[in-house]
Structure formats: C-alpha cells, structure tokens
Amino acid sequence: MKIARVGLYLLLGLLGLLVLFLALSLTTASDTPYLQTEAYLETRRNFDGLKPLPPQPPVDSSKTLPKPIPTLRAGWAKVPLTPPNATPTAGYGVRNGQTYGGIHDSVFVRAIVLENGPIRTALVSADLLIIPPTVTAKLKEKLPSLGLTLEQTYLGATHTHNSLGGWGERLAGRVFAGEFNAATVDFIADRILEAIVVAQRRLMPAQTGYAQVYQADMVRNRLVGDDGTLDPFIRMLKIRKITGETALLCTYAAHSTTIEPREVVLSRDWPGALVDSLEKQKTVNFAQYMAGAVGSMAPLEEGKTDWEELRNMALGLQLEIQRVIRQIPLRTDNTLHVVSLPVSLREPQWRVFGNLKMRHWLWKRVYGDYPVELKALRVGNTLFIGAPCDFSGELMAELSAKARQRGLNLIVTSFNGGYIGYVTPDKYWSRDSYETYTMNWYGPGSASFLTHFMEKLIRLLS
C-alpha cells in the first residue's frame, strides 16, 4: 500500500511538472492586427529613415557644361560551392540531417556586380535551400573588406532541397540542415565573397532590359489547388556588356523539389539544369537563377523518374526563355539604387496544438532570433524586392500591378538572408496545412504586413 502511495505521488508530481512546463512554454496565438502592433510602428520608423532616389536637377546648358553621365557597368562570375567533404543534406526534415551519398551535379555561387559610379551592388545567388542567417551574419563582417556592405548586397537562393547543410545553429536548423558546423558557414561565406571579387574584376559598360514570359504549364498551387491563383511568369533581367557578352538573371515561382527526399545526393535540382542549358545553347554567356515567390507554388512534374522530371522542367522553361531572349529591348540606363529596410516582427506564432503557440523563450531555443529585412534594388526600370521567407506567389499579381502603375517591372525573390518561414495570404491563416499552420511563423497578418511595406518600397524607388 505504501509503495502504491509513493508511486501515485511520483505520478502526480510528474504530471504537475508537465502542467507547469506547458504553462511556462505555451500560450495562445495573438490575433492582434499587425498594423496595431509595436512591430509595425518600429518598421514604419525604419522606413521613414530610408533615403529616396535623389531627384535629377535640370541642367542649364547656357551657364555650364553638363557633367558626364556615369555609365552602368556590369560583371559576373560563378565559383564552385561543392565542399571538399560531404556534409549533411539540407532540404527535407524527414532525412534527419543525413549526409549526402554522392554528387549528381555540383553546386555553385553566382554573382552579378553592378556599378554606376557612386553606387555598387552585388546580386548573389547560391545553390542552397536558403541563404542561412548564420551566413548572412558572417557576410556582414566580411563584405566591407571588398568595399561593400550587407546593405548593398542582394542575396537569393535557388532553393534546392539537395545542397549542403550544417549551417543551422538551433534545433529547427538541425532538423532541416543537419548538425551545425561553423566551418561550413565560413566556407559558404568565403565562396560568396570570392564570386563577388571575380565579378568586380570583370566590370564593363553594359545595358539592361526586362522581360517576362507566361508559362503556367510548369507550376501549380500546392496549397489550395484550383481554389487559389498561380504566379505563372518567368521574369528576367538581361544584361549585355559593350563586348557583346550577355548575362540573364531569371526567376520562377515553382519550388525546386523535383528530387524526392529518398534521393540523398548533392544537386541543384531543375534550376541547375536550366542555367546549364541556357549557357550550353549559347542563349546567354552567363545564367543566374533566384527562387521567386515560391510559397504555395510547386513544380508541375512530368516524367517517370525524378531526374526525368528535373530535365523536363528545365527544358520547358528554357524553351520559353529562348523564344524571347533575343527580342528583349535593352536600355542605356544608369539608374541603380539599393535600400535595406530592417523589419521588426511580433512575437513568433509557431502553433503546436490548436491555437496554442510556443512562448518566445522556447522559440529562441528552437529557432533563434535573427535580424530580418526587406531588400529593394532598382536596376533601370526593373525593381527587385528580396523577402526573408518563402513568399507566396498568390501575392504577386497585386504587387506587380502596383509597380506597373509607377513604370516599374517587379521581381520578388525569396530567401534574402533572413528567414521567417512561409508568408501566405492572410485568408489561409486558419487552414490546417504545412504552409499555413506549421510554417507560418509570424501570422496572422504577416502577408498584409510585408506587402504593405513592399508597396511603400515600390513608391519610394519609383
């Protein structure tokens, strides 16, 4: 009888500790509109501190000779990102950080550097799942040695789910990218710096031009199917040097997920096959890809194997690009401006059961707190906006229309060096799905919050 009482007391004690832990670890998710939060007010103050494009004063030629107009110059380069030793494979949590067993195709960093005299910027894309916040922090330290800052650098990733991992410090990073290794973070940052250095050596006068191609046959809405919308456009910035060499930066909304989790090999997925084919077909001398508004969007795979799906996906996009690439009108336009908007966020809303979410202290242990920003880069009449998330393609139509009203062509890319999960239309917040429940970390209202400031950036740089 005494043993039974002791056992009961122990059980009650354990239950009490469990209840106490849950009370200290969980709370209800907030439904306060973002525009009523301190996060909005602080981000608004950050925006008010940004400098708009300087006006172009008229020149009175009767009194003075006009100063020479600086020429836009461009240079580009790629450097290998394949590590000397195998690493964990970043991409799918079900792999548990498994080390890749071989190299299907090597991964790279690609950089385009643009300069118009007073302003220099670099557009960098890496064959990674995301640009990890740990790498971003390292770049902030190292970029000044190249005469650049993190604020001047536009980051993006191809979002392949079969690239090197080891860059996530906390539990969530380890789930998706395996055991953390500081040497891997240094390796990635150093390869990015090397790509920028080589691109800077190749700067020459250049012209730029924009085009977009409708291609709805290669993408589907994986979140709500036909009940939602698509972002069906291949968006492109073409750059041609005075020598005739041509570069193409392209984006698309479909996820880079034709390779399933069972294939644990290093690969760039279909974006790698796309840029390779564009260069091999002599469509351009240099091709670069950045993941576009990939939230909610999946590739529409066709093929009997992952590798056949990969090739078909790349071929379908390549053919559409080749159809228009030579007709893209080029402009001699030296407009170049880049701004970084630090974004303040409400407490994370990572729901774990019903409407219960982790408290902030536990979230910091699981994921960590990293600075995030919106990056805006205007090149001629093309405006890039980099988002710190899987940004939903369903949000693109309205943003693009706002930009067109102001004479700008808009390209939104995901994974700009910070990461806050998925940002999907606010109407899906209560939907029980991976993108809206598990991975919508800062809702409800995160979509209207980010697009509000994206629209302000459009107005600022127009």
Side-chain angles (χ1 to χ4, degrees):
M1 193 69 176
K2 185 176 180 181
I3 295 175
R5 281 201 307 271
V6 171
L8 178 61
Y9 293 153
L10 286 173
L11 179 61
L12 291 174
L14 290 172
L15 288 175
L17 289 173
L18 177 61
V19 171
L20 179 62
F21 175 77
L22 292 176
L24 294 174
S25 304
L26 303 178
T27 186
T28 54
S30 171
D31 59 359
T32 303
Y34 242 111
L35 300 190
Q36 297 176 18
T37 64
E38 180 60 33
Y40 168 77
L41 295 176
E42 188 170 336
T43 306
R44 178 62 186 263
R45 289 191 289 270
N46 294 340
F47 178 84
D48 290 341
L50 297 178
K51 295 179 180 179
L53 276 175
Q56 298 296 321
V59 176
D60 186 348
S61 59
S62 66
K63 296 181 180 179
T64 181
L65 291 173
K67 294 182 179 179
I69 299 175
T71 300
L72 181 71
R73 300 197 302 156
W76 46 80
K78 73 173 182 179
V79 300
L81 187 59
T82 304
N85 301 302
T87 71
T89 312
Y92 297 104
V94 295
R95 290 174 174 154
N96 295 315
Q98 184 178 351
T99 300
Y100 58 82
I103 299 174
H104 179 269
D105 54 289
S106 295
V107 292
F108 296 89
V109 172
R110 295 170 187 254
I112 296 175
V113 173
L114 299 172
E115 181 190 78
N116 70 351
I119 298 173
R120 178 180 292 184
T121 186
L123 294 95
V124 178
S125 179
D127 292 316
L128 295 169
L129 178 69
I130 63 174
I131 299 296
T134 50
V135 172
T136 305
K138 190 66 64 174
L139 290 173
K140 187 173 184 178
E141 295 175 12
K142 295 187 172 187
L143 278 166
S145 66
L146 308 185
L148 286 172
T149 64
L150 185 62
E151 289 71 27
Q152 294 170 269
T153 308
Y154 191 99
L155 300 172
T158 59
H159 199 42
T160 171
H161 286 52
N162 277 68
S163 189
L164 59 159
W167 37 255
E169 294 178 296
R170 306 286 182 172
L171 176 61
R174 288 183 171 93
V175 168
F176 288 99
E179 192 67 25
F180 177 72
N181 186 339
T184 299
V185 174
D186 283 324
F187 174 78
I188 295 171
D190 288 343
R191 294 292 79 73
I192 290 174
L193 294 173
E194 182 182 345
I196 294 173
V197 167
V198 177
Q200 286 185 152
R201 293 182 191 144
R202 299 171 177 174
L203 287 169
M204 287 187 179
Q207 296 175 303
T208 62
Y210 171 86
Q212 66 180 38
V213 183
Y214 182 85
Q215 174 49 290
D217 295 335
M218 314 299 292
V219 65
R220 62 182 175 86
N221 189 317
R222 74 181 196 184
L223 178 58
V224 294
D226 293 338
D227 292 334
T229 59
L230 297 175
D231 179 23
F233 294 101
I234 309 167
R235 295 178 175 88
M236 298 168 277
L237 178 72
K238 181 180 177 181
I239 308 170
R240 188 175 67 194
K241 291 182 181 180
I242 196 171
T243 59
E245 295 175 274
T246 305
L248 185 76
L249 193 163
C250 56
T251 71
Y252 195 56
H255 258 76
S256 305
T257 50
T258 56
I259 303 174
E260 297 293 334
R262 64 179 178 273
E263 295 284 358
V264 191
V265 295
L266 197 71
S267 174
R268 292 169 287 162
D269 209 291
W270 63 260
L274 172 62
V275 296
D276 285 352
S277 61
L278 289 171
E279 292 174 350
K280 288 176 182 176
Q281 295 295 324
K282 307 299 182 184
T283 306
V284 290
N285 302 103
F286 177 86
Q288 182 176 359
Y289 175 84
M290 288 186 180
V294 296
S296 312
M297 304 290 131
L300 198 58
E301 300 105 329
E302 291 187 3
K304 296 179 180 179
T305 68
D306 292 354
W307 310 112
E308 191 174 322
E309 291 172 355
L310 181 157
R311 290 190 295 271
N312 289 339
M313 184 77 186
L315 179 61
L317 296 175
Q318 172 211 327
L319 292 175
E320 289 299 318
I321 292 172
Q322 285 187 213
R323 185 170 59 83
V324 302
I325 186 68
R326 298 187 188 281
Q327 284 75 47
I328 296 177
L330 296 173
R331 300 169 43 148
T332 301
D333 188 336
N334 74 338
T335 303
L336 188 62
H337 202 71
V338 58
V339 295
S340 294
L341 172 63
V343 174
S344 295
L345 299 165
R346 72 194 319 165
E347 283 195 1
Q349 306 280 305
W350 198 7
R351 292 165 289 173
V352 295
F353 181 75
N355 201 40
L356 293 176
K357 65 153 191 169
M358 287 185 184
R359 291 187 185 272
H360 197 190
W361 73 266
L362 183 57
W363 167 260
K364 287 191 288 187
R365 289 183 176 274
V366 171
Y367 179 74
D369 269 342
Y370 302 99
V372 295
E373 64 180 12
L374 286 172
K375 183 67 59 74
L377 169 63
R378 180 171 170 182
V379 183
N381 63 348
T382 300
L383 179 64
F384 291 84
I385 296 182
C389 56
D390 284 79
F391 188 77
S392 175
E394 287 204 52
L395 303 169
M396 280 301 299
E398 186 173 351
L399 283 170
S400 297
K402 299 273 187 184
R404 283 195 302 272
Q405 290 171 5
R406 293 182 169 267
L408 295 175
N409 305 303
L410 180 64
I411 298 176
V412 174
T413 61
S414 300
F415 319 115
N416 72 353
Y419 192 67
I420 60 172
Y422 279 73
V423 171
T424 52
D426 296 335
K427 62 184 177 182
Y428 300 141
W429 165 252
S430 60
R431 191 180 184 90
D432 186 10
S433 67
Y434 175 77
E435 294 190 359
T436 56
Y437 189 89
T438 305
M439 294 297 293
N440 192 331
W441 295 344
Y442 287 92
S446 56
S448 57
F449 173 65
L450 279 191
T451 55
H452 171 81
F453 284 103
M454 286 180 171
E455 290 175 11
K456 292 176 75 65
L457 287 169
I458 290 170
R459 291 194 294 272
L460 179 72
L461 296 185
S462 64

